[in-house]
Amino acid sequence: MELLLDESIPRQLATSFGEAFEVFTVAEMGWSGTANGALLRLAKEHDFEALITADRGIAHQQNPNTLPIKVVVMIAHRTRLQELQPMVAAVVELLQNQTSIGVYHVAV
């Protein structure tokens, strides 16, 4: 399963997802600075299963009925690796069990 880490997520988190996932960052893809709607379309075109972000506003900026891929919002006080890493297991479980496209929130 291919995942895309948004610019709001530390790139080092990519190694925490395990072998079942291929994880790329927005910067690696050359999409830095791309607006959320265009980013989601690009992710779909490149066969990403989900966008992982810390942008809490994305659920209000995008129409959930027209999302092209799953969006997982990681909610933490800060977007530091130490705070996000404990949530990876919950994100993985959600992605493996949730088949519907939508916006999902994961918090500690």
Side-chain angles (χ1 to χ4, degrees), residues 9-62:
I9 301 290
R11 62 180 162 74
Q12 298 90 339
L13 195 67
T15 60
S16 302
F17 284 89
E19 295 179 13
F21 297 92
E22 286 187 76
V23 184
F24 299 87
T25 66
V26 168
E28 282 179 311
M29 298 301 295
W31 301 337
S32 296
T34 304
N36 287 335
L39 182 61
L40 289 166
R41 285 188 296 279
L42 281 168
K44 175 65 175 176
E45 290 171 12
H46 288 82
D47 297 322
F48 285 99
E49 181 81 18
L51 172 69
I52 312 299
T53 186
D55 181 357
R56 296 180 192 193
I58 199 166
H60 305 290
Q61 297 166 354
Q62 304 300 315

Side-chain angles (χ1 to χ4, degrees), residues 42-97:
L42 281 168
K44 175 65 175 176
E45 290 171 12
H46 288 82
D47 297 322
F48 285 99
E49 181 81 18
L51 172 69
I52 312 299
T53 186
D55 181 357
R56 296 180 192 193
I58 199 166
H60 305 290
Q61 297 166 354
Q62 304 300 315
N63 181 346
N65 297 322
T66 62
L67 286 173
I69 63 172
K70 296 175 195 147
V71 176
V72 179
V73 181
M74 298 179 82
I75 299 174
H77 294 290
R78 290 176 274 171
T79 57
R80 299 170 111 178
L81 182 62
Q82 307 89 296
E83 292 190 32
L84 297 176
Q85 211 158 23
M87 290 188 267
V88 170
V91 171
V92 167
E93 184 177 341
L94 183 146
L95 291 171
Q96 290 175 333
N97 295 318

